[in-house]
Amino acid sequence: MDYKTKLAEPMNKELFADSFSKSLNENFPKYSKYFDFDLQVFCELNTLIFEINKCQLLEFHRATITLTNHLLERLLKLALIYNETGISAIETQKWNSTFAEPNKRYSSISLGNSIEINKKLGLISNSEKEFLFNVIRELMRNGFSHADSSKILEDLPDDSEMYQVSFSNPNDIKKVNINQKVIPFMQEIQMENFAKASSNQYFDFVFNLIFRIENRLTEKFEKTSM
């Protein structure tokens, strides 16, 4: 049976069901805490957080990172919008007039600008700003949302020593030098390993950042109303 014939065979539904069930049972104790939260300001992020956590449960590491990138960018833009509109209830007939200008001003800005403005307004701390700008923006956002592996793989050596063996002549062992940073399938292996090691830490950071920004917005508007 050749490779194309194998790919053309129908997938076994039971194999998927067993795999998903195994991952769910193994990972639910670890990740169930991310289903138990109560957002007061950023309620529109509820379904996105649930979606990301389901990716974590099923060990979809690259999907977790890519969706967390989206969560982070959306969070920072919403923070800027609510910083202008306030976080109190708004009458329905005033929704358009209240949100139109802030949405226009912030919905298309870059991640770098969004980070800078949030820091200037005191919605993120200096350490959070540095981490978001220098680490998250370069590694997670560019590495996965922009499919640029260069930063993630830059510490790998340009030449890795490997050995090539022939099954027809197992004694014929040849040494070859391989640059894993430029060979597509090796890039993918390294990116997969990176995602497995970092996806939960990244999501956990953004998840907790949401509540820190909520608290800062709440404190800000409580002070202005006194």
Side-chain angles (χ1 to χ4, degrees), residues 20-147:
F20 292 162
S21 179
K22 180 175 181 291
S23 296
L24 176 62
N25 290 330
E26 288 180 354
N27 295 320
F28 190 80
K30 179 180 179 181
Y31 297 126
S32 60
K33 62 183 180 181
Y34 297 112
F35 289 124
D36 184 18
F37 62 91
D38 182 21
L39 290 173
Q40 299 298 312
V41 178
F42 301 115
C43 299
E44 50 274 281
L45 299 179
N46 285 344
T47 56
L48 182 53
I49 293 171
F50 269 67
E51 186 174 344
I52 295 170
N53 201 32
K54 284 186 280 186
C55 288
Q56 289 199 120
L57 288 172
L58 298 178
E59 300 178 4
F60 298 159
H61 302 290
R62 283 165 289 194
T64 295
I65 290 176
T66 304
L67 278 173
T68 303
N69 287 337
H70 175 73
L71 173 64
L72 173 63
E73 295 213 39
R74 184 64 177 150
L75 165 66
L76 294 177
K77 290 176 180 180
L78 286 173
L80 298 178
I81 291 172
Y82 285 128
N83 183 71
E84 289 198 12
T85 65
I87 58 175
S88 300
I90 299 171
E91 296 177 9
T92 306
Q93 61 268 29
K94 294 182 179 180
W95 285 356
N96 289 347
S97 59
T98 300
F99 290 107
E101 282 304 313
N103 184 72
K104 181 180 179 181
R105 188 162 24 255
Y106 298 119
S107 62
S108 298
I109 64 174
S110 68
L111 176 59
N113 287 339
S114 184
I115 294 170
E116 293 285 359
I117 300 171
N118 271 276
K119 171 58 179 67
K120 182 178 180 181
L121 294 172
L123 299 178
I124 59 175
S125 67
N126 188 62
S127 61
E128 289 166 347
K129 180 253 183 182
E130 293 298 322
F131 184 68
L132 289 171
F133 197 86
N134 297 323
V135 179
I136 299 305
R137 186 177 63 92
E138 292 286 345
L139 292 182
M140 300 305 194
R141 199 278 301 268
N142 289 348
F144 290 88
S145 293
H146 291 178

Side-chain angles (χ1 to χ4, degrees), residues 173-217:
I173 302 175
K174 297 178 181 178
K175 183 173 71 173
V176 293
N177 291 325
I178 300 295
N179 185 351
Q180 299 182 66
K181 295 186 287 189
V182 300
I183 300 170
F185 79 90
M186 289 190 172
Q187 289 175 333
E188 198 60 30
I189 292 172
Q190 296 294 338
M191 293 291 285
E192 181 181 8
N193 290 337
F194 179 87
K196 287 179 180 178
S198 60
S199 60
N200 175 244
Q201 292 179 347
Y202 177 33
F203 172 66
D204 183 77
F205 171 80
V206 175
F207 180 83
N208 286 290
L209 181 63
I210 296 171
F211 295 94
R212 291 198 294 272
I213 295 178
E214 273 207 348
N215 289 336
R216 288 162 189 157
L217 282 169

Side-chain angles (χ1 to χ4, degrees), residues 10-26:
M11 301 302 292
N12 190 320
K13 180 180 177 181
E14 284 70 28
L15 289 178
F16 282 104
D18 290 343
S19 176
F20 292 162
S21 179
K22 180 175 181 291
S23 296
L24 176 62
N25 290 330
E26 288 180 354

